Structure formats: C-alpha cells, structure tokens
C-alpha cells in the first residue's frame, strides 16, 4: 500500500504486546524512503534514539529517523568529491607501484570488480586491487577468513594496510559510494541476511561508504556474528549521521 500510494509515512497505532508484530511491519518498509511513526505507548518496542514529531496534532515517536539535514547531505557530497579527487592524485604513485607488484606476484587481473548493492537497492560495480587468487570463488560466494588460503602473498599486505580499497575512490567520485557509510554488500548475502537479521535492509537507505563507523570499531566480516555486530554500528551511524561524525570517522 505504501508503494502504490507513494506514502511519505505510516503510523503504527494498534495496541499490541507482541514486539514481533512491530518488527515485522518495519522489515517491510525499512528499505523505503518513508517515515515510520508509533504512538508513545509503544515506544519501548525498539531501542535507540527517538525524534518527537507532530502529525495532525498528535505527539508521535519517530522510529529510525533520518537525522541528517539537507544542507549537510549536500556538504557531505562536496566532501566526497573533494577528498576522492585529492586522494586519487596523492595515491597515484601507490596505485602504479601496487599494480606492478600484483602483476609480478600472481596471475590474473590487477583490479577486481564486483557487483554490489548500493543506496535504495541500486546495483553498481565496486573496484578493488585483487588480493586473492583468480579462482577464489569457484565454489560460490563466501566470506574471507583471517588465514584464508585464497589470499595471495601481496594480498595479505594489501588487506592489512587497506591499500586494496584505494580504487574505490573512483566509486566515491562518480557518486556510487560515499567516503563514510556502511560497506556495500553483494546481493547474494543481502538476501540471506535480510531473512536472518531484522532491519538489515535499513542499511540500504544509506549510500555505501569506503569506510564507516563499523569499520573503525570492528574488523573484516568472517562470520554471521560479525555481520550482526556491524549492523548495530551501521544503525548507530544512521541515527547520528552528521558531517562532524564523518570527519571523526575519517580521522
């Protein structure tokens, strides 16, 4: 109904003590650019910060609000363009040297391009320096582990120093990504995670980032538990999103 009528918001007003009812409703709309309100008596069904809004004279709690002002969103984009341009210029010697080393170290392409899911479900290609063997996913998509045998010799150094992520500055420059935001994931994993983790789709309302609060606070994904923990950090970032927080994360 929300999609058909292009609703700007929905209000959950029914009395219930079953928290699963509320979560089930949220799971269906978390990927939509829509505001979700709840009557104050139900405020304890989810955790987090609440923004008070007035709708037709009623004082309602807003669930999972968008806290970044429009002017901040424009400023964030300007920062992305500026930093990515400067970054590509400064990193050009590293890009050239890394390309040569990768080619000498193992067979295969220098760059690894992979389809990811971005903001509002838009698909795009993310680019990284290849840090694994060319047959790394011959048996299908899988997470990398700490001592993954598929990682090449130079790949271990690239991952440890995060140099393999530098080509993604191009993705930031053209607008597919931001400097700060949740890491983009593959559709294969998103489909599974949305079934297992309530509100996982909320990440798709944010433009994916080169780095983020989850990356600062946690390590590479190597298990389902890692993904669950990182989601909490991503949702914290979404609820507290600001240019100042972006600067803090980048530093």
């Amino acid at each position: 109904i929300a999609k058909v009528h292009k609703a700007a918001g929905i209000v959950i007003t029914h009395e219930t003590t079953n928290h699963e009812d509320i979560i089930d409703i949220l799971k269906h709309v978390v990927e939509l650019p829509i505001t979700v309100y709840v009557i104050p008596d139900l405020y304890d069904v989810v955790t987090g910060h609440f923004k008070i809004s007035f709708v037709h004279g009623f004082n309602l709690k807003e669930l999972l609000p968008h806290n970044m002002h429009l002017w901040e969103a424009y400023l964030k984009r300007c920062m992305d363009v500026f930093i990515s341009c400067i970054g590509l210029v400064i990193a050009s010697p590293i890009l050239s040297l890394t390309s040569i080393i990768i080619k000498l170290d193992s067979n295969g392409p220098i760059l690894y391009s992979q389809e990811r899911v971005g903001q509002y479900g838009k698909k795009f290609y993310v680019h990284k320096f290849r840090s694994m063997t060319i047959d790394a996913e011959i048996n299908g998509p899988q997470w990398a582990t700490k001592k993954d045998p598929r990682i090449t010799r130079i790949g271990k150094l690239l991952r440890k120093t995060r140099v393999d992520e530098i080509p993604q500055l191009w993705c930031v420059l053209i607008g597919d990504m931001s400097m700060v935001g949740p890491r983009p994931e593959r559709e294969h994993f998103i489909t599974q995670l949305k079934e297992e983790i309530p509100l996982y789709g909320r990440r798709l309302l944010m433009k994916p980032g080169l780095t983020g609060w989850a990356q600062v606070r946690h390590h590479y994904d190597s298990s389902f538990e890692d993904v669950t923990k990182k989601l909490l950090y991503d949702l914290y970032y979404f609820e507290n999103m600001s240019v100042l927080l972006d600067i803090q994360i980048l530093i």
Side-chain angles (χ1 to χ4, degrees):
I1 294 173
K3 287 181 179 179
V4 171
H5 295 283
K6 297 180 180 179
I10 63 172
V11 183
I12 302 175
T13 62
H14 65 280
E15 293 288 347
T16 179
T17 55
N18 186 352
H19 295 177
E20 292 299 321
D21 289 347
I22 306 298
I23 297 299
D24 188 55
I25 293 172
L26 293 178
K27 285 196 304 186
H28 285 84
V29 298
V30 289
E31 297 175 36
L32 301 177
I34 193 171
T35 304
V36 181
Y37 301 100
V38 65
I39 60 175
D41 289 343
L42 300 178
Y43 77 95
D44 60 338
V45 296
V46 292
T47 60
H49 303 288
F50 290 98
K51 176 182 178 182
I52 296 177
S53 301
F54 291 93
V55 180
H56 296 293
F58 290 95
N59 186 5
L60 301 175
K61 303 284 186 179
E62 185 176 340
L63 305 185
L64 306 172
H66 297 260
N67 288 326
M68 178 168 271
H69 297 290
L70 186 59
W71 68 269
E72 277 194 297
Y74 283 125
L75 182 56
K76 179 180 172 70
R77 177 57 188 155
C78 290
M79 285 175 53
D80 288 342
V81 173
F82 177 76
I83 296 175
S84 58
C85 283
I86 298 298
L88 286 169
V89 172
I90 294 176
S92 55
I94 300 176
L95 294 171
S96 301
L97 180 60
T98 303
S99 299
I100 295 173
I101 295 176
I102 291 175
K103 205 63 181 176
L104 294 174
D105 180 63
S106 62
N107 295 324
I110 294 171
L111 292 177
Y112 177 63
S113 299
Q114 189 180 73
E115 187 179 75
R116 300 288 177 97
V117 179
Q119 189 176 31
Y120 302 130
K122 175 188 175 184
K123 296 179 181 178
F124 70 99
Y125 280 91
V126 67
H127 311 292
K128 305 173 70 171
F129 278 124
R130 182 175 59 83
S131 60
M132 289 188 173
T133 57
I134 55 177
D135 59 349
E137 292 195 329
I138 192 171
N139 296 318
Q142 53 186 298
W143 280 307
T145 58
K146 290 183 179 180
K147 295 183 179 180
D148 202 312
R150 300 173 299 162
I151 301 176
T152 62
R153 290 175 298 176
I154 187 62
K156 294 177 182 178
L157 178 62
L158 295 179
R159 282 171 167 260
K160 187 175 182 179
T161 59
R162 298 296 196 269
V163 170
D164 60 324
E165 310 283 3
I166 293 179
Q168 290 173 52
L169 287 171
W170 173 253
C171 299
V172 175
L173 181 61
I174 64 177
D176 287 333
M177 293 175 60
S178 177
M179 287 301 300
V180 180
R183 290 296 294 157
E185 191 52 86
R186 283 180 279 180
E187 186 175 25
H188 172 81
F189 291 127
I190 288 179
T191 302
Q192 294 179 352
L193 293 169
K194 283 166 62 177
E195 292 295 326
E196 299 290 336
I197 306 176
L199 308 183
Y200 184 84
R202 193 69 176 175
R203 297 173 83 254
L204 298 181
L205 291 183
M206 295 177 276
K207 185 175 288 188
L210 182 63
T211 187
W213 187 240
Q215 282 61 52
V216 172
R217 306 296 298 176
H218 206 56
H219 49 71
Y220 269 114
D221 294 344
S222 59
S223 66
F224 183 80
E225 289 72 22
D226 286 335
V227 176
T228 304
K229 192 167 185 177
K230 277 190 172 182
L231 176 63
L232 297 178
Y233 289 125
D234 287 334
L235 293 181
Y236 169 85
Y237 171 74
F238 188 73
E239 291 186 1
N240 298 276
M241 191 185 297
S242 69
V243 171
L244 190 61
L245 180 57
D246 278 13
I247 294 173
Q248 178 186 348
I249 291 171
L250 289 172
I251 292 175

